[in-house]
Amino acid sequence: MATQMGSEEGFKATIAEYLESLPTQFCRRVFSNPAACLAIFRLLSTVGKQLVMSMLYLETAIKLQDIYQWAKVEHQPLVRSKVHQLRKLQILAEERGTVSLNPVFREQLRNALTGGGDFSSFGIPFTGSTGNRGVSKKWLASYANDRWEAILHFMVGHSADAEPPSESVRGILRMSRLMEDSEDGMKITNSGFQFLLQDPGSQVWTVLLQYLRLAEMQDMDVVEVLNFMFQLVSLQLGRPYSTEALTRNQQKMLSELCSFGLLYQDNVGAPQFYPTHLITSLSSSGASHSGPSGVDNAAAAASGTGRSAIPTGSKATGELAKPSSQGFIILETNCRMYAYTNSALQIAILNLFVHLVNRFPNFITGALTRDSIRRALMRGITADQIITFLTTHAHPQMQGRTPVLPITVTDQIRLWEQERNRLRPTAAYFYKDFGQKQEYERMF
């Protein structure tokens, strides 16, 4: 399974690659779950959704050429590529120039949209007493962000006032090579810094993909784990769900995902659990970062999985809810940096490659120096990653410039990187003990 770091689309493509790698019998088991079919449908592109909905109630196959005619001539290559992707996902089946939806996928997606079939795949709501303590959406948002930010603080080596991550969390960070062991403990890697550049939705998908990899290594039923993931994505935020029908593997997965803040459970063995916005927003159109565009709201309402978005203006939403488009960094041509932030996490990330000088309640100053950049390079962080981070989080006054960052600064960062990479190993062959000069000359 590919685990590349990249844009949000890159993460979705990685999930698609994982589904494409499943054997036919595994896909049939995944498609037999209505919640899984709805989650996969929501992760499709807008054109992919349109193709599926257009064929959802067709009982007979349709010619490929007829599908291509649904689009204008200039857009037909896009439709061809989407049809090809749906075939790789085994959602479409092709035979003699005609295509049709996978009958299992078609039936269960219908059930998901109309409320038929085994609706317990969307979770069994808990009807018992939840105690005197009220678990609201606001409280769940605060809990989830505290857990997730504690992991990010741990990755950047910042001693924030939060409990350290559990051993299972550290194991996944180590297995995914986001962090590695060193003499001074675990430290962030090149992939880990790239992970920090992503939005929370993409970060959560990375963790879930790594958990699938862990499940394979532990000989767990991958389809069972995958279906449970899709079930969690389809749950309603703020509503308690029963653990009574969960299998042993799902109970184990439940406790481990609680360590990441994706779920909340009062204690191990509690009869109910709550999904948090970190996981319910992965396929929601209301998610500002992680949700794919063009989700059919009517379909979500019909399936009973519509969710209310967490208000980003609330203090309980934490640092994760702040859109990355609101930049806070100003960089001068003399490599001096000014950052308008009071986020301990953002300051900790900047400290990886910036020499911090002054810190005020909502403002810090620093500079990019040779030593600070070399310190980052020794951690495995590249010059391009530093430049990307500074560009992404540049202040709106800088965003209007072209280029966004001063060329003198970007060139200097790359020059400092080249100083460390003056010598590069190259594979070579060594020949000796030639018997005659003619043999030596023939070699060249």
Side-chain angles (χ1 to χ4, degrees), residues 9-293:
E9 291 298 328
F11 279 87
K12 293 178 185 177
T14 303
I15 297 170
E17 289 173 7
Y18 185 86
L19 294 173
E20 292 167 7
S21 67
L22 293 177
T24 303
Q25 61 271 22
F26 280 31
C27 276
R28 189 177 296 112
R29 289 179 57 195
V30 173
F31 291 162
S32 64
N33 188 305
C37 292
L38 182 60
I40 294 172
F41 172 78
R42 284 175 166 176
L43 291 174
L44 297 176
S45 64
T46 304
V47 176
K49 292 188 185 75
Q50 182 64 39
L51 292 174
V52 171
M53 292 302 297
S54 298
M55 293 185 285
L56 185 60
Y57 289 94
L58 293 179
E59 301 295 340
T60 59
I62 184 172
K63 293 182 179 180
L64 268 174
Q65 294 300 325
D66 292 341
I67 293 179
Y68 299 151
Q69 296 301 320
W70 292 349
K72 295 181 179 179
V73 176
E74 60 268 24
H75 299 304
Q76 288 184 5
L78 175 62
V79 175
R80 292 175 185 271
S81 66
K82 298 305 177 183
V83 169
H84 178 68
Q85 292 175 5
L86 292 175
R87 286 169 52 195
K88 291 172 65 177
L89 289 170
Q90 303 187 47
I91 294 177
L92 286 184
E94 180 181 1
E95 183 179 1
R96 297 178 181 179
T98 62
V99 292
S100 60
L101 282 181
N102 184 304
V104 180
F105 181 86
R106 178 178 57 197
E107 178 183 0
Q108 296 307 325
L109 183 57
R110 286 180 183 177
N111 290 334
L113 297 177
T114 59
D118 181 17
F119 214 69
S120 63
S121 65
F122 289 94
I124 301 176
F126 182 71
T127 56
S129 174
T130 58
N132 296 327
R133 179 183 179 183
V135 180
S136 63
K137 294 180 181 180
K138 183 177 180 180
W139 187 90
L140 284 173
S142 177
Y143 159 82
N145 286 325
D146 287 345
R147 284 294 181 96
W148 192 257
E149 290 171 8
I151 296 173
L152 300 183
H153 278 295
F154 176 74
M155 292 182 62
V156 298
H158 181 70
S159 56
D161 297 332
E163 58 182 86
S166 64
E167 180 58 36
S168 62
V169 172
R170 295 196 298 269
I172 290 182
L173 294 177
R174 186 182 296 110
M175 183 186 65
S176 59
R177 297 183 179 179
L178 299 178
M179 300 189 72
E180 61 185 8
D181 293 316
S182 65
E183 297 179 356
D184 301 328
M186 296 184 68
K187 67 176 184 178
I188 192 171
T189 63
N190 179 290
S191 298
F193 186 76
Q194 184 72 15
F195 175 83
L196 294 176
L197 298 180
Q198 309 310 316
D199 59 81
S202 297
Q203 292 173 345
V204 172
W205 273 124
T206 300
V207 169
L208 294 179
L209 286 168
Q210 292 301 329
Y211 194 90
L212 282 172
R213 180 183 173 190
L214 179 64
E216 292 177 348
M217 296 174 61
Q218 296 180 350
D219 294 328
M220 298 171 64
D221 187 349
V222 177
V223 176
E224 179 184 359
V225 174
L226 193 58
N227 280 337
F228 188 54
M229 284 185 181
F230 287 139
Q231 174 183 319
L232 296 176
V233 170
S234 303
L235 298 183
Q236 184 175 349
L237 179 64
R239 188 173 188 178
Y241 290 87
S242 174
T243 62
E244 182 179 357
L246 299 184
T247 65
R248 182 178 179 181
N249 287 338
Q250 291 172 342
Q251 290 277 6
K252 177 183 177 182
M253 185 177 174
L254 177 66
S255 62
E256 292 180 343
L257 292 184
C258 285
S259 301
F260 286 94
L262 306 183
L263 305 172
Y264 170 73
Q265 195 175 22
D266 290 331
N267 52 68
V268 178
Q272 81 279 356
F273 70 94
Y274 297 81
T276 69
H277 69 283
L278 290 179
I279 195 164
T280 60
S281 63
L282 291 181
S283 64
S284 170
S285 60
S288 61
H289 296 301
S290 56
S293 60

